[in-house]
Structures are given as structure tokens and as C-alpha cells.
Amino acid sequence: MDDPERTPAGDAFAEFAISVLRLAGPLTVAGDALSKPSGQTSARWQVLAAANHGPMSVADAARALGLARQGVQRIADLLAEEGLIGYEDNPVHQRAKLMVLTGQGSRILHDIKQRQAVWADSFGEELGEERLRQASALIAEAIAILKPTARASGET
């Protein structure tokens, strides 16, 4: 059976989508390398960073990160056991506690951010600010277009 024909624009979008998906792997590996000296992983770093944006529930963090709530809950509970985040009462939802960084969590996140700044500066210089801003805008636009499609199909 032959593959369906696509327009040149459809081919370009398929190539773009595959490239973005392929980028996720190396970014995770780099994130793990940047967070490892602080005893963390990319996933744990993401949850620490979410908690740093102000008190938010695990569900709010999962939505912001585009991850499953259950996975974020598992990581948040581990971070709480280690004293890196705490849970506070949520004035708008009795059962959904709010994650907040502890002092130790804040110090660890700061250390990771310092390593990430050096790394990002290097890649930013190599790839160029304008090109990166254009790519980011294109990705944000694609996400905005795809989100209603994902909701309509039952995805989150």
C-alpha cells in the first residue's frame, strides 16, 4: 500500500513535528546532566521549577509542564519526602494541596539554574538569538493550534 500524498506544506509540518519530537531526547539527556551534580533528574528539576513559580497544585504543575498528573504527583511526593518541597493548604481546593519550595529546594534549584545558564548561553550564542526566538514562536503557535485538537480527541 502506498503512503498517502501530502502537500509540500504537509511534508514540511511532518518534518517539523518529527524534529521537535527528536529534540526532546537530547534535551532530557542534557537536563539530566545539568541536574545530576545536585542529585536531581530533568523530571525532578521541572517539578522544582514549577513549585518555584509560586504555590501551585500538582494538577496545575502537570498542566503547565504538559505531563500526566500522576507522574508529577509521584515526583512531588519524593521531593517532599526529601524536604525539597512542602505542601500547604489550598484556599480554593481542600484536597489539592499547594507545592512550595523549601529553603533546601530553592538552593538546589539555584545550583541547577547556574549550570543551565552557562549551557544555554553557549547554545544561544551558537544558534543565534533571532533564529531561536523565531523557532520558539513557531513552536508556541503550533502548540496553540494543536491543543484544541488534542482536547477534542480526549487527550490532555
Side-chain angles (χ1 to χ4, degrees), residues 21-156:
L21 292 170
R22 289 182 63 208
L23 179 60
L27 284 176
T28 299
V29 169
D32 285 343
L34 290 166
S35 57
K36 185 176 182 176
S38 296
Q40 303 304 309
T41 63
S42 289
R44 293 165 63 97
W45 174 15
Q46 288 179 11
V47 176
L48 286 170
N52 187 52
H53 282 113
M56 70 170 54
S57 70
V58 167
D60 291 337
R63 276 190 293 279
L65 296 169
L67 300 172
R69 187 202 57 77
Q70 295 86 346
V72 175
Q73 183 70 65
R74 183 183 57 77
I75 292 167
D77 288 346
L78 290 171
L79 293 170
E81 286 175 20
E82 295 171 16
L84 303 180
I85 67 166
Y87 290 114
E88 292 182 350
D89 288 337
N90 185 342
V92 297
H93 194 288
Q94 216 172 20
R95 289 188 351 198
K97 302 290 185 194
L98 299 175
M99 299 184 303
V100 293
L101 273 185
T102 64
Q104 183 183 1
S106 185
R107 285 187 294 279
I108 285 176
L109 182 59
H110 177 77
D111 290 345
I112 296 169
K113 284 180 168 184
Q114 284 192 301
R115 284 188 293 278
Q116 192 272 348
V118 172
W119 178 83
D121 287 349
S122 173
F123 275 93
E125 186 66 33
E126 186 173 335
L127 296 171
E129 179 185 357
E130 184 60 30
R131 289 176 59 215
L132 288 166
R133 292 200 188 282
Q134 290 171 349
S136 294
L138 181 60
I139 290 169
E141 189 176 344
I143 290 168
I145 291 168
L146 289 169
K147 272 193 174 184
T149 304
R151 278 195 296 271
S153 68
E155 305 282 325
T156 56

